[in-house]
Structures are given as C-alpha cells and as structure tokens.
Amino acid sequence: MGTYTLIKGNEISAEIYPDIKKRVLNLKAKGITPGLGVILVGDDPASKACVKMKERKCKELGIESVTVKLPMNVTEEYLLQKVDEFNKSTLVHGFLIQLPLPEHINENHIIDAIDPKKDVDCFHPENVGRLFVGNPIFLPATPAGVQQLLVRSNIKTTGKHVVIVGRSNIVGKPMAAIMMQKGIGADSTVTVTHSKTKNLSDITRQADILIVAVGKAHTITADMVKEGATVIDVGINRVSDNDLAYPGCSRLVGDVDFDNVKDKTSAISPVPGGVGPMTICMLMRNTVIAAEHALRNQI
Ligand code: GUN
C-alpha cells in the first residue's frame, strides 16, 4: 500500500477541548469550579510526569487541581484516609490514584474505597460493571480516547474484527467492553489476546483494527499486520538510543514497530502524539461530567 493516514491525537483532542471548555464555563456560571484530585505515591519519574501533564491541562481549562504527594513507604491505612478525604471534599468532584502503587499496597482495596461518582478513571467495580452493561457514568480514559480516535478519523467499526493485544484492567479489558457495545464507534467483533495466547500473529493478522497495549516495544512487527488494517498503538516505552546521534539519550516508542508496520496499514497512530493526548482529554471530560453530576445532585 504505502499511503496511510497518521491518526494524530493532538489534532483530534483539539476538536474535543472546546466542548469541555464550554462545559467548565457553564459550571462556573452556576457557582461550581470543577476540581480534579490526584494522589501520587512515591517518585517514579513517569508517574510524576503524567501528574504534571494533568495539572497543566487542568490549569489550561480552568479546572482546579489538587495533588496529594505521599512517600513510597506510605501505609495502606493512610492512603485510604486520603481517599476518604477526597470522597468527602466538596471542591474535588473527581479524583484518581496514579498507578502503579508500591507492592505493599493492595490496589484493589484502594480502588474499592473510591466513591464511584468521583471515579474519573472508571476503575471502581461499580463503574466497570456499568460499562459492561452499557450504562456508564464515565468511560475509562484511554479506551475512550482510542474510540474517539477511530470515530473522528472516520474508521468504520461496525462488524469489523477488532483484535486487542493486552488484557490489563486499564486498557485491554475495558477496550473490549467498549468495542462490543451497540452503537457508533462500536458494534465490533472483538478478540482479546494476551501473553498466553497461542499463535498470536495468526490472530493479529485477522484484525481489521488492531489495538495494542502490552507495554513492550516492537511487540507488533509488519508480518503480524493485515494489509490495509488500522493500527492503534497504546504503548509508551522509553528506549535508549545509544546507537543514534545522541548517545545516552532515550526516546519514547510504542508497542508497534512503527517504521516497518506503517506502510502496511491504512491508518496508524504514532507514539508519541497518538493515544496519549486523548487519554488526558478524556480524563478532563470525565472531571467535567463528575462536576455536572455534583451540580445536579445539589439542585
Ligand atoms: N497509570 C497508567 N495509566 C493510568 C491511568 O489511566 N490512571 C491512573 N490512575 N494511573 C495510570
């Protein structure tokens, strides 16, 4: 083929932000400034960078952001106390706990403690259940961002075979739940593959739309992709570039061997600049949705 569309998350998220900004202004006119809380445990550079980006975007949109930074050795009990404070806060309408958490903390205990009405990540079992039955309050940010990339790039999903590589709670599983629903940008036939899948490339080669979220560079090579497929790369991996012009430097790559795969596709999302900007955009949208719910409950 050789001619492919580059699916640019920066451009597509820019189409969505005006609506979010308008909704923030509407809320402010009614006396509510939407507030996003973030709990960051430890000092993992990737998590810190992620939280910084969220704070910056909130500021741009007029959303209040409140970040609670806790040390790596924080107890589960203390973390639950902070979750409870956000649950009760009238200034924070939605909040999240940046993952991953240290090993001594049980992630499920923390997620279970979030008020589902403030769960802008859509990780609480009640919200996961709502997503599965097709009655969600929030959509999980990264899968919702992928769906928006498809819809706004005019990629048809109805009856298409969507193959998802990766079964995480953050991407793979909710991505499947979204694409199998009835409706626009969904109605797909979905296959979920993972690290124990046999003959992975036989399955990925059947994909009309291949969504990859495993967190390992070069997982998808050109021989694993059908001619004319759409490829969405959710991976963010930092690789060192010792062999390039800047020894010792590193750069971000996805899970897809982009340079070799791109010419086989009809459309492909790059890393960076593909799914990443959409995730943050969908998180901002969820924060506004949470604040709109709070306003409705107040009246
Ligand atoms: N870590 C990586 N992705 C995510 C996400 O979507 N939400 C949270 N809370 N942590 C993450």
Side-chain angles (χ1 to χ4, degrees):
M1 271 185 87
T3 51
Y4 60 90
T5 302
L6 197 58
I7 301 175
K8 294 179 184 152
N10 286 320
E11 289 179 8
I12 293 174
S13 63
E15 294 172 9
I16 300 171
Y17 277 120
D19 174 65
I20 298 176
K21 276 189 187 157
K22 196 170 87 190
R23 288 162 73 176
V24 170
L25 289 176
N26 274 340
L27 282 159
K28 285 189 169 176
K30 289 173 179 143
I32 288 196
T33 299
L36 173 68
V38 175
I39 301 177
L40 172 64
V41 179
D43 48 16
D44 170 58
S47 290
K48 273 165 71 179
C50 211
V51 169
K52 269 263 162 316
M53 268 193 309
K54 287 167 187 165
E55 288 172 344
R56 204 172 308 141
K57 191 51 84 177
C58 279
K59 199 161 188 189
E60 242 177 80
L61 296 169
I63 294 173
E64 198 65 48
S65 76
V66 183
T67 304
V68 172
K69 291 182 182 152
L70 300 172
M72 196 66 178
N73 62 357
V74 68
T75 62
E76 195 171 297
E77 194 186 2
Y78 190 77
L79 185 50
L80 286 169
Q81 202 177 305
K82 292 291 144 192
V83 168
D84 199 43
E85 282 171 26
F86 273 156
N87 281 340
K88 290 182 177 136
S89 165
T90 52
L91 300 177
V92 167
H93 303 98
F95 69 97
L96 60 93
I97 298 99
Q98 189 65 35
L99 302 179
L101 288 169
E103 274 186 14
H104 68 278
I105 289 173
N106 184 324
E107 210 168 274
N108 287 330
H109 289 172
I110 306 302
I111 290 170
D112 286 353
I114 301 172
D115 178 348
K117 289 184 203 64
K118 294 193 174 189
D119 173 34
V120 284
D121 259 336
C122 196
F123 289 171
H124 189 283
E126 180 178 317
N127 286 323
V128 177
R130 281 183 164 276
L131 177 66
F132 264 81
V133 298
N135 182 28
I137 301 170
F138 304 110
L139 291 177
T142 300
V146 170
Q147 186 184 38
Q148 286 297 312
L149 286 180
L150 296 170
V151 169
R152 290 171 185 268
S153 305
N154 289 317
I155 292 159
K156 299 283 167 270
T157 56
T158 302
K160 299 292 181 192
H161 189 187
V162 170
V163 175
I164 298 164
V165 187
R167 56 175 160 179
S168 70
N169 288 340
I170 298 183
V171 185
K173 288 181 200 165
M175 190 78 244
I178 286 177
M179 297 311 294
M180 71 169 81
Q181 295 300 325
K182 292 181 177 172
I184 295 165
D187 280 329
S188 306
T189 303
V190 179
T191 302
V192 180
T193 66
H194 48 78
S195 53
K196 301 289 187 291
T197 295
K198 293 196 174 119
N199 306 320
L200 177 63
S201 51
D202 287 347
I203 301 169
T204 57
R205 269 196 298 270
Q206 292 173 34
D208 301 308
I209 299 169
L210 183 61
I211 301 172
V212 193
V214 292
K216 192 164 176 285
H218 295 281
T219 300
I220 301 297
T221 47
D223 58 302
M224 299 171 80
V225 177
K226 179 170 77 176
E227 196 83 37
T230 294
V231 176
I232 304 290
D233 190 349
V234 185
I236 303 174
N237 308 291
R238 192 161 280 286
V239 295
S240 62
D241 259 354
N242 285 329
D243 53 339
L244 293 183
Y246 304 99
C249 286
S250 65
R251 67 190 168 112
L252 290 182
V253 299
D255 294 343
V256 176
D257 179 7
F258 182 88
D259 289 339
N260 292 311
V261 168
K262 64 184 191 318
D263 288 316
K264 237 178 151 181
T265 71
S266 56
I268 184 167
S269 70
V271 178
V275 175
M278 297 302 294
T279 296
I280 207 153
C281 179
M282 295 296 104
L283 176 67
M284 296 298 125
R285 191 171 72 172
N286 280 348
T287 305
V288 168
I289 290 170
E292 288 168 347
H293 271 280
L295 174 68
R296 246 176 276 140
N297 291 334
Q298 192 183 292
I299 294 168

